[in-house]
Amino acid sequence: KAGVTQTPRYLIKTRGQQVTLSCSPISGHRSVSWYQQTPGQGLQFLFEYFSETQRNKGNFPGRFSGRQFSNSRSEMNVSTLELGDSALYLCASSWGGNEKLFFGSGTQLSVL
Amino acid sequence: EDQVTQSPEALRLQEGESSSLNCSYTVSGLRGLFWYRQDPGKGPEFLFTLYSAGEEKEKERLKATLTKKESFLHITAPKPEDSATYLCAFASNDYKLSFGAGTTVTVRA
């Protein structure tokens, strides 16, 4: 069975631009979460979606947003990119939320 | 404030040298303590979930245990392929996992 798929794998942007990352969860999973991973801060929770509704949001500025579609696929968007947004962005899916998460390989975003 | 702390930050082991990783937590409403393994360039891979004090789970050379304040991941007779970063995380009541900083384990042949 296919795992969590994230695209693109690598992305290079410049300050001020915006970016959209995509995540396809495991078939049948309805919960999709997004995490930011940096060497200094570790894994930080961004938000979680279930059946197209955002159920929880982490402590990130409004420049970070997301959405989930009816087929459970999810996108996250970062507007007005800053150098500090350079990170590995990980998507994870699960059936309902708090049980074990299945992570994708992530999108490595570099902001120059 | 809910938080999780892992120690040590890094661990270098000789093949066959058993050791333990620590994950201490302060959580008001724990709904599961999770252990993940992460290899370079990849997302975390689920290992175990523990729900109550006294619970233990095993998988090959790994054994996770849980008390009221901490969890341990014991690595018995490790092999080089056990080299990875091990992350613990807790689930609270609001559909998110809060991760520790991780312990990077290096096993030398």
Side-chain angles (χ1 to χ4, degrees), chain B residues 24-55:
Chain B
S24 62
Y25 63 91
T26 53
V27 180
S28 54
L30 183 71
R31 292 190 59 177
L33 189 292
F34 298 76
W35 282 97
Y36 285 83
R37 168 194 171 124
Q38 187 173 23
D39 293 301
K42 294 186 177 181
E45 177 187 350
F46 172 82
L47 292 173
F48 305 107
T49 308
L50 302 166
Y51 291 102
S52 56
E55 190 174 358

Side-chain angles (χ1 to χ4, degrees), chain A residues 48-99:
Chain A
E48 187 262 358
Y49 287 87
F50 182 86
S51 293
E52 303 178 67
T53 299
Q54 186 182 88
R55 292 196 297 192
N56 197 6
K57 188 177 188 302
N59 297 323
F60 280 82
R63 299 184 297 106
F64 291 81
S65 63
R67 59 178 177 169
Q68 186 180 34
F69 302 96
S70 58
N71 61 358
S72 292
R73 191 177 69 85
S74 178
E75 290 181 347
M76 69 162 281
N77 183 76
V78 188
S79 62
T80 319
L81 284 166
E82 300 177 359
L83 295 178
D85 297 333
S86 294
L88 179 67
Y89 289 88
L90 291 160
C91 166
S93 74
S94 66
W95 283 276
N98 256 351
E99 68 280 17

Side-chain angles (χ1 to χ4, degrees), chain A:
Chain A
K1 146 170 144 173
V4 178
T5 304
Q6 291 189 247
T7 55
R9 186 72 178 90
Y10 300 95
L11 206 50
I12 299 175
K13 293 286 187 179
T14 57
R15 281 181 299 173
Q17 287 187 310
Q18 75 166 15
V19 65
T20 299
L21 311 180
S22 180
C23 172
S24 294
I26 290 172
S27 178
H29 285 190
R30 297 171 66 188
S31 170
V32 173
S33 304
W34 289 88
Y35 289 81
Q36 181 196 66
Q37 186 172 33
T38 59
Q41 298 296 318
L43 272 154
Q44 300 288 318
F45 173 77
L46 282 157
F47 26 67
E48 187 262 358
Y49 287 87
F50 182 86
S51 293
E52 303 178 67
T53 299
Q54 186 182 88
R55 292 196 297 192
N56 197 6
K57 188 177 188 302
N59 297 323
F60 280 82
R63 299 184 297 106
F64 291 81
S65 63
R67 59 178 177 169
Q68 186 180 34
F69 302 96
S70 58
N71 61 358
S72 292
R73 191 177 69 85
S74 178
E75 290 181 347
M76 69 162 281
N77 183 76
V78 188
S79 62
T80 319
L81 284 166
E82 300 177 359
L83 295 178
D85 297 333
S86 294
L88 179 67
Y89 289 88
L90 291 160
C91 166
S93 74
S94 66
W95 283 276
N98 256 351
E99 68 280 17
K100 70 179 184 182
L101 302 182
F102 294 82
F103 283 86
S105 293
T107 294
Q108 184 66 54
L109 173 64
S110 298
V111 182
L112 307 178

Side-chain angles (χ1 to χ4, degrees), chain B residues 9-109:
Chain B
E9 289 185 16
L11 193 59
R12 294 177 64 86
L13 301 172
Q14 198 67 33
E15 184 173 3
E17 178 189 1
S18 301
S19 189
S20 296
L21 284 56
N22 177 265
C23 170
S24 62
Y25 63 91
T26 53
V27 180
S28 54
L30 183 71
R31 292 190 59 177
L33 189 292
F34 298 76
W35 282 97
Y36 285 83
R37 168 194 171 124
Q38 187 173 23
D39 293 301
K42 294 186 177 181
E45 177 187 350
F46 172 82
L47 292 173
F48 305 107
T49 308
L50 302 166
Y51 291 102
S52 56
E55 190 174 358
E56 299 181 351
K57 289 193 176 173
E58 286 188 71
K59 178 180 179 181
E60 297 180 356
R61 295 175 294 283
L62 300 177
K63 178 180 177 180
T65 62
L66 182 66
T67 71
K68 288 186 177 179
K69 293 185 178 181
E70 56 191 350
S71 178
F72 292 93
L73 184 65
H74 309 278
I75 308 178
T76 302
K79 298 182 178 181
E81 52 262 45
D82 294 322
S83 297
T85 295
Y86 291 87
L87 300 162
C88 76
F90 65 82
S92 53
N93 294 324
D94 49 4
Y95 307 107
K96 73 175 185 181
L97 291 187
S98 298
F99 283 84
T103 294
T104 299
V105 175
T106 304
V107 183
R108 296 166 292 175

